[in-house]
């Protein structure tokens, strides 16, 4: 398996990337970590004329805490994000989800922005971006536009990124100190691909559940604080409404059942995490008095 011939350009400056994307449009492909693109090229499912490799562009390697969140440049690998020392404190959901992405070798090359650009329906990072109300900065020679996760993912492997644009950064808001998070996934053993994944965030007055279960784009559901039986009813509604294309009726029923049990467990875990955080906070306040 070899890719069709292409011209390779190593990008050293973001302006160069914008200029070449304007020049070549859909004939060009951005190469980040290559973990999804290279297999696609090797299978000749895509035949770009020019490959624009941004992985060594220093200006795109920034991982910067901002006042409200975390700014992650296009060339920042998933491993770098996971090893950021304040991740578990500032964005606990991402810290819980990232270990589910592939394996350490994949994460050491694969970028967070590359996974968002690829928008695979079984990928964990688009699900997290949607759950966290993250945003994406798209850059081209026409300028920059900032787009919410809810508007970015259009269909399976289809995003709002235009042919002359690239993802320059992802913005992940910091989670509030009074929130708890949980991430649960059941994956196919051989491929590691998620069958169902649930990202849950529990705040003092609301619950959020983002579900990945074979649908084209991440689905986010918000609830008030409900008793367990009512939450189960809500999850039954989600499970029944999924448009699945499983190989058999048994697979289909199994996946719907997974949505209910993983979703409920994730919401319960997130609420326990929230309560633990609140208890620790109360102890610290008591200690300070
Ligand atoms: C064995 C294996 C297991 C995997 N397991 C998982 C898993 O469990 N969960 C999961 O989510 N993923 C998994 N992946 C995919 C992996 O996470 C990839 O790293 C990720 O999907 C793409 O990131 P990348 O940096 O490698 O992008 P690339 O492969 O370089 O690019 C992917 C696509 O995005 C485009 N692109 C990349 N960066 C940009 C940008 N900044 N702007 C615009 N377009 C861009 C490329 O043109 C291409 O179309 C796995 C991959 C492999 C090979």
């Amino acid at each position: 398996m070899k890719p069709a011939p292409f011209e390779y350009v190593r990008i050293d400056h973001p302006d160069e990337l914008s200029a070449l994307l304007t020049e070549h449009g859909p004939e060009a492909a951005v190469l980040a970590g290559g973990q999804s693109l290279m297999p696609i090229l090797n299978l000749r499912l895509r035949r770009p004329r020019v490959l624009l490799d941004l992985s060594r562009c220093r200006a795109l390697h920034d991982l910067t805490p901002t006042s409200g969140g975390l700014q992650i440049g296009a060339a920042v690998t998933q491993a770098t994000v996971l090893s950021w020392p304040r991740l578990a404190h500032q964005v606990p959901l991402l810290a819980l989800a990232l270990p589910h992405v592939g394996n350490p070798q994949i994460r050491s090359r694969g970028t967070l922005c590359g996974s968002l650009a690829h928008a695979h329906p079984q990928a964990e990072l688009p699900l997290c971006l949607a759950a966290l109300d993250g945003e994406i900065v798209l850059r081209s020679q026409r300028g920059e536009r900032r787009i919410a996760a809810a508007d970015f993912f259009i269909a399976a492997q289809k995003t709002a990124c235009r042919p002359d644009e690239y993802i320059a950064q992802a913005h992940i808001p910091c989670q509030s100190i009074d929130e708890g998070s949980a991430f649960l996934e059941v994956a196919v053993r051989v491929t590691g691909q998620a069958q169902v994944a649930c990202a849950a965030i529990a705040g003092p007055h609301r619950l959020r559940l983002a579900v990945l279960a074979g649908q084209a784009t991440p689905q986010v559901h918000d609830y008030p604080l409900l008793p367990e039986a009512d939450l189960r009813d809500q999850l039954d509604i989600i499970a029944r409404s999924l448009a699945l294309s499983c190989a058999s009726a048994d697979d289909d029923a199994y996946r719907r059942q997974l949505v209910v049990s993983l979703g409920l467990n994730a919401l319960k875990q997130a609420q326990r995490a929230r309560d633990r955080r609140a208890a620790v906070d109360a102890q610290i306040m008591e200690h300070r008095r």
Side-chain angles (χ1 to χ4, degrees), residues 30 32-37 46 78 100 102 106 110-111 114-115 117 123-124 167:
V30 174
Q35 299 305 293
S36 296
L37 185 59
R46 271 183 80 183
Q78 297 151 7
H100 290 274
I106 301 296
T111 61
S115 176
E124 292 84 358
I167 299 181

Side-chain angles (χ1 to χ4, degrees), residues 96-246:
L96 293 167
L98 268 166
H100 290 274
V101 179
N103 53 45
Q105 287 85 351
I106 301 296
R107 294 193 296 270
S108 74
R109 300 210 66 126
T111 61
L112 182 132
C113 291
S115 176
L116 302 178
H118 190 52
H120 195 280
Q122 284 159 309
E124 292 84 358
L125 298 175
L127 185 74
C128 289
L129 192 83
L132 292 163
D133 287 329
E135 290 180 325
I136 282 161
V137 175
L138 294 171
R139 192 178 288 159
S140 70
Q141 279 198 318
R142 289 174 288 117
E144 271 190 5
R145 58 188 184 116
R146 210 173 154 122
I147 183 159
D151 301 320
F152 183 71
F153 301 108
I154 294 172
Q157 295 188 276
K158 186 167 171 19
T159 70
C161 186
R162 295 174 186 144
D164 68 335
E165 288 178 318
Y166 69 97
I167 299 181
Q169 289 165 356
H171 280 259
I172 314 273
C174 278
Q175 291 183 250
S176 160
I177 193 78
D178 55 12
E179 282 179 354
S181 305
F183 191 93
L184 295 179
E185 173 175 310
V186 169
V188 182
R189 193 165 194 177
V190 181
T191 63
Q193 284 186 328
Q195 282 190 305
V196 173
C198 290
I201 300 174
H205 308 296
R206 64 165 197 132
L207 301 172
R208 170 166 278 198
L209 184 69
V211 180
L212 177 162
Q215 69 280 40
T217 56
Q219 307 290 307
V220 178
H221 307 271
D222 286 310
Y223 305 109
L225 299 182
L226 291 172
E228 185 174 330
D230 293 353
L231 280 177
R232 186 181 285 278
D233 290 345
Q234 295 296 329
L235 287 159
D236 273 332
I237 295 171
I238 298 177
R240 277 201 301 273
S241 69
L242 289 171
L244 299 178
S245 50
C246 296

Side-chain angles (χ1 to χ4, degrees), residues 43-117:
L43 291 167
R44 301 201 175 196
L45 298 172
R46 271 183 80 183
R47 293 163 178 254
R49 220 160 43 77
V50 53
L51 220 54
L52 308 174
D53 180 358
L54 58 70
S55 64
R56 280 178 280 185
C57 178
R58 289 173 69 94
L60 298 174
H61 271 275
D62 56 319
L63 193 163
T64 318
T66 61
S67 55
L70 193 56
Q71 186 176 294
I72 299 171
V76 177
T77 65
Q78 297 151 7
T80 303
V81 179
L82 188 55
S83 64
W84 187 56
R86 280 152 58 195
L87 189 70
H89 185 67
Q90 306 231 331
V91 199
L93 181 66
L94 206 51
L96 293 167
L98 268 166
H100 290 274
V101 179
N103 53 45
Q105 287 85 351
I106 301 296
R107 294 193 296 270
S108 74
R109 300 210 66 126
T111 61
L112 182 132
C113 291
S115 176
L116 302 178

